[in-house]
Structures are given as C-alpha cells and as structure tokens.
Amino acid sequence: MSTTWKIQRNSRKLTAYLYNTRSRRRLSSTSKCDSLSRDYSSKPCNGYTRSKSFLQNDVKWLSTESPAAAIRPSGLPMGGYETGQNGSNTEADSLEVNTHNSVEERREFKHNRVPSQLVLDHFDRQYGRQFGSDWSDIKAALMAPKLNGILLNNFTEVSSKVATMLEEQRLQNISDFCDLREKTLPAHLNGQEEEGEEIGQPFEILRKHQKNTESKLEFYIHPENRHVWFPKLKHVPGQLKQYFLQGAASLLPVLALDVQQDDSVLDMCAAPGGKSLALLQTAELGHLTSNEPDLWRKRRLVETLQSYIPQEILATRVDVTKLSGVHFGDVTPNTFDKVLVDAPCSNDRSWLYNRNIVGMQMRMEDRRHLPQLQASLLRSALHAVRPGGSVVYATCTLSQKENDDVVESVFEQFSKNKSRIDVINLSNLTENFWRIFRFDSSTRFGQLVLPHLDANWGPMYFAKLKKVL
C-alpha cells in the first residue's frame, strides 16, 4: 500500500512538472527579447553582473558570429553549393514543400481554432473601454484567420511555378496600391523643425532609386484583401527560398524606418527574422546587426537569414548578436544610423488562442510589466542611434499602454533630460496605404493598423522618433 501511494505521489509530481515546463516554454516562445524577466535593471538577463568593458568585449565577440558560417556543412568550402546567378537554385522550378504542413491542413487548422473565453473576457474589459463601439468589429476580425502576403526574395530567381501561383491567385505588388501623390505635412508631431530640413516629402520608399535591382522590395497581396495560400517552404542548407509568407502590416515599420544605401542598421528584437529580411530586400545596407538574445528564437533567426540571403552578404554585411536589447545604449552609444525595435508585446492574436489556463494567468501578470521593458528597449535604442538617426518602435498589440503610452513616457523622459527627440509624423505613410489598411485615428504618437473583416491585417503599431541631440 505504501509503495502504491509513493508511485501515485511521484506520478502527480511528474505531471505537474511537465505541465509547468510546457507553460514556461510556451511563454518564452512568445517573448522576443529574453524578456518577460522581471529584472529591468542594467544587469544582463542571465542574472550575472558584468562591467561595461566586459559587455563591450562580449558584443565585439558576438559581432564576429556571422550567420554565413552555419550554412556550410563540414568539409564544404565557402561558396561550394551549386547555385545559379545571384544565389538562385540550379533547379529553379523545384519547390521544396513541407509535406507535413500542407496548405489544406494549415487552412483547416486556422479556421477551426477556438479562442479562449478567458482571454476574450480580458480583451472585452480592456479594449471595450479603449475602442468603444468599434471593439465588436475589431474582435470579430481578431477571431478570424489573418491575411498573409508574399515577399519575393530578390536574391534569387523566381521559378515558373511561383510565377504561375502569383498569376492564378491574381496577386499584385503592394506598390500598385500606393497613392504617392505629393502632400504637404508637418514633419514633427512635437512642433519642432530643424533649420533647412525639407518638409512634406512624399513617402516613396517603394520607388526610390537604389544601387541595383536587388534592392527593390516586391510584396504581393490579393487586391481584394483575400487569403493567399502558398505552400510553406522547407529550409534546405545552401539553397535560397524564393518567397517569405508575411503579413503586409509587418512591412510598415520597415518602410517607416526608411533605410538608405550604406546605412548601419540595428534590428534589436529580430527573431524570427521577417523584418531583417525585409530590411535587406529594401536597400543595400552598409551593415545590419540582427539581435536576438533568446537561444531558441536566435536559431530561427539564423535559419531565416540562411534561407534567403546569399553567403557573401551574410559574411560581410550581416551580424547576428545575442545581447539583451536594454544594453545596446550603454555598449554601443551613438553607433547606428537606424534602429528598429520590434518590441516583445502581448501579441493579441497569438494570446487569443492560448488554451493553457496556467499559462494565460501567468501571461496576464507579465502583461502588466511589459510597458516597463518596452520603454527600456526604446530608451536603449535612442542611446544607440547616432545624432540625426531614427528609431522605429513597433508592436503587434492593440494595447495603448504598450503603444502610445510607452512612446510618450520615453519622449517625456528625454525632454526632462534636455535631450532633443522628435516624434516624426507618419501621416504620409497612412495616406499612401489607405487602400490596404485601416488605421486608428485616435493615436497620438504613432500609427495603429486595426484588424477588420474587410482588411484583416494587424494589429500593428509603429512610431518613429528622430534623435537630434
């Protein structure tokens, strides 16, 4: 009898341990930057105290960790793969499709998912107050499958099969929907203008001249905002994928950053890599630092870069680092031309379908602490960017506390310290993309894409700040 009781007790302990382990793993997988840690001080996330000089050496060592190194299996020299021009596969018409995750299976799964009532009740309380009568429409869109688009890889040739799929689904380049007429708009929301600065420039990132054709961004969506169903491609070492499945709203922070040729850019919270990939497709950067401190997410980031970017670019112009984002301002002050902070956030769409009750309760608790972390990341980015450079802060949540309130708190803090930070007016961007997205008219510092059943993109919030002094 005693032995049986011990076995049952140990079985219960094991079940509880596995359950809690899964909860922690799921939570960590939704965090982008090490980041639901409650310690928001200047200490590293691993809990050890290190000096500034040690952190500088750490970043120097990490900067040598090129994602190109992992592309070559042992025994194969650099460039040893048989690729066509610009790194394309020699068999351009062959598509390596993940047969375990077919288009039909993914479509059925997404349509049959049931949202968590606990999360819905939480959203009703928070977003019902924030959006009022509009919340019912937004909630209906959140509960429906989100839309995706196709980012073509300009570093490889598009096969005839991909071209046929684009034609059969009647997809069009997103630039065809943009209204690029001249507009006169104030440059700064805080009413300050630099002497000699050009005001009211149109948002022309999709048609700017670039050094070569590799820099032209090609993103395809359905003209009527319908679902795009493309097979998910497998990662094959040494071969470049032809397209990347991504929500169109995810491009907006990249376009708002307005990277130029030879810019030094930091993607502070880069995993899984979609925005780093878009940055490299948009302009011929001088250097890109893609940072991700979480080990599991960093592996996904490296795999994404290896799957789309040629080895010679990865080896010479891209570094993957694993530093906690809050330390960049101390370790690399006044260094980068542009910084993208795709901050860890509540991620409303993902959270809505969390069926783990313990995990949901933990996430609600962590959600209250996220704005503090997000503000720390934004402050770090503003210290890391050089004077005259720009920072774009972005999230994929509707929460005002994680969006406008974070930008406002950081802006006010820099103003008190007599640091000149301008909040850039992005109204020209929303004017250009009004045919595709629905924007929230109540935001004060940034722009928020609202999900809607007729245009189920987002949520995506983004704000741009310029460091003057």
Side-chain angles (χ1 to χ4, degrees):
M1 186 71 176
S2 176
T3 303
T4 303
W5 178 82
K6 288 181 179 180
I7 292 174
Q8 291 175 347
R9 182 187 62 180
N10 292 336
S11 176
R12 287 195 298 269
K13 286 184 178 180
L14 177 61
T15 302
Y17 171 78
L18 293 175
Y19 186 80
N20 292 332
T21 301
R22 291 192 193 101
S23 300
R24 289 194 296 270
R25 187 180 298 118
R26 290 180 182 179
L27 282 172
S28 64
S29 67
T30 62
S31 168
K32 287 192 174 179
C33 282
D34 252 4
S35 55
L36 295 182
S37 167
R38 303 295 176 79
D39 184 4
Y40 302 112
S41 65
S42 60
K43 294 188 299 181
C45 293
N46 59 13
Y48 294 101
T49 303
R50 296 191 288 181
S51 64
K52 181 178 178 181
S53 61
F54 186 88
L55 285 171
Q56 288 174 331
N57 293 333
D58 195 18
V59 171
K60 182 178 180 181
W61 176 80
L62 287 171
S63 66
T64 64
E65 186 181 350
S66 170
I71 294 181
R72 306 189 308 276
S74 60
L76 190 62
M78 178 74 77
Y81 287 100
E82 295 182 3
T83 56
Q85 187 177 6
N86 297 327
S88 62
N89 302 333
T90 52
E91 296 182 1
D93 288 338
S94 65
L95 285 179
E96 292 290 342
V97 180
N98 187 349
T99 57
H100 298 289
N101 193 16
S102 66
V103 172
E104 291 77 11
E105 290 173 345
R106 288 186 289 118
R107 180 186 308 175
E108 182 178 359
F109 170 75
K110 290 182 178 180
H111 280 285
N112 292 337
R113 289 190 301 174
V114 178
S116 165
Q117 189 59 47
L118 180 63
V119 177
L120 277 177
D121 293 341
H122 179 79
F123 283 176
D124 286 338
R125 290 191 296 271
Q126 178 179 357
Y127 295 142
R129 293 191 300 267
Q130 181 176 333
F131 295 105
S133 59
D134 293 333
W135 166 237
S136 59
D137 292 336
I138 297 172
K139 181 171 70 171
L142 280 178
M143 296 170 63
K146 65 179 180 180
L147 298 176
N148 273 328
I150 302 295
L151 176 63
L152 294 186
N153 186 6
N154 289 317
F155 295 110
T156 188
E157 298 293 333
V158 176
S159 70
S160 59
K161 287 188 177 181
V162 173
T164 300
M165 286 190 290
L166 291 172
E167 183 177 357
E168 288 178 346
Q169 298 193 42
R170 299 191 297 114
L171 306 187
Q172 296 181 19
N173 197 323
I174 196 171
S175 60
D176 298 337
F177 302 92
C178 298
D179 183 4
L180 295 174
R181 295 170 295 178
E182 297 286 337
K183 301 175 180 66
T184 302
L185 295 167
H188 309 302
L189 294 183
N190 46 325
Q192 298 174 339
E193 299 175 4
E194 291 187 63
E195 184 177 355
E197 183 178 3
E198 294 183 1
I199 306 299
Q201 292 296 318
F203 195 85
E204 297 180 317
I205 187 63
L206 293 177
R207 68 179 186 183
K208 281 184 177 178
H209 68 277
Q210 301 291 350
K211 188 174 182 179
N212 54 48
T213 56
E214 290 182 350
S215 301
K216 183 181 178 182
L217 190 67
E218 293 188 78
F219 192 90
Y220 286 78
I221 63 174
H222 194 280
E224 299 176 5
N225 280 327
R226 295 180 182 176
H227 289 279
V228 174
W229 301 108
F230 265 54
K232 187 176 182 179
L233 303 180
K234 292 175 60 177
H235 171 64
V236 180
Q239 296 184 7
L240 299 182
K241 294 181 181 181
Q242 300 175 44
Y243 58 82
F244 185 79
L245 299 173
Q246 190 176 42
S250 297
L251 288 183
L252 296 177
V254 173
L255 297 177
L257 196 58
D258 195 15
V259 293
Q260 302 296 313
Q261 181 176 314
D262 298 327
D263 274 350
S264 175
V265 181
L266 168 63
D267 188 356
M268 184 177 284
C269 309
K275 292 183 177 63
S276 283
L277 175 60
L279 287 166
L280 291 167
Q281 302 282 333
T282 303
E284 187 174 340
L285 304 179
H287 191 268
L288 173 65
T289 300
S290 293
N291 182 70
E292 179 53 59
D294 181 82
L295 179 60
W296 181 80
R297 292 179 61 83
K298 178 174 172 287
R299 289 174 181 170
R300 291 187 62 194
L301 169 63
V302 171
E303 184 177 291
T304 298
L305 294 174
Q306 292 172 358
S307 298
Y308 292 92
I309 309 301
Q311 293 185 58
E312 56 271 20
I313 295 179
L314 293 176
T316 58
R317 288 193 277 152
V318 179
D319 288 332
V320 176
T321 59
K322 52 184 179 182
L323 184 68
S324 177
V326 298
H327 299 310
F328 272 96
D330 295 327
V331 176
T332 57
N334 302 318
T335 300
F336 301 97
D337 298 304
K338 308 284 174 61
V339 178
L340 175 62
V341 184
D342 187 16
C345 66
S346 296
N347 195 346
D348 296 337
R349 280 192 186 273
S350 174
W351 190 21
L352 184 60
Y353 293 97
N354 191 333
R355 308 300 300 175
N356 187 327
I357 297 178
V358 175
M360 286 187 289
Q361 292 173 343
M362 293 173 62
R363 195 162 178 176
M364 286 182 185
E365 176 67 20
D366 288 321
R367 196 180 196 199
R368 288 193 283 268
H369 299 274
L370 275 172
Q372 187 177 353
L373 170 64
Q374 293 159 342
S376 297
L377 292 170
L378 182 53
R379 283 194 297 269
S380 177
L382 287 168
H383 287 300
V385 75
R386 64 169 180 79
S390 301
V391 174
V392 168
Y393 170 79
T395 73
C396 52
T397 179
L398 297 164
S399 174
Q400 179 179 318
K401 295 179 180 179
E402 299 180 41
N403 295 336
D404 264 355
D405 290 356
V406 169
V407 177
E408 182 178 22
S409 67
V410 173
F411 176 77
E412 290 179 350
Q413 181 178 355
F414 273 78
S415 299
K416 290 178 182 179
N417 295 334
K418 298 182 180 180
S419 299
R420 173 81 179 276
I421 300 294
D422 288 337
V423 180
I424 304 302
N425 192 330
L426 296 174
S427 298
N428 49 356
L429 187 150
T430 61
E431 290 290 329
N432 291 328
F433 289 99
W434 67 270
R435 292 188 179 94
I436 305 174
F437 307 110
R438 298 202 176 205
F439 294 94
D440 183 9
S441 59
S442 65
T443 54
R444 309 183 310 277
F445 292 91
Q447 299 292 339
L448 174 62
V449 177
L450 294 175
H452 195 275
L453 288 176
D454 293 336
N456 204 1
W457 307 104
M460 178 60 64
Y461 174 86
F462 56 102
K464 185 174 184 178
L465 299 91
K466 182 176 181 181
K467 181 178 179 179
V468 181
L469 296 174

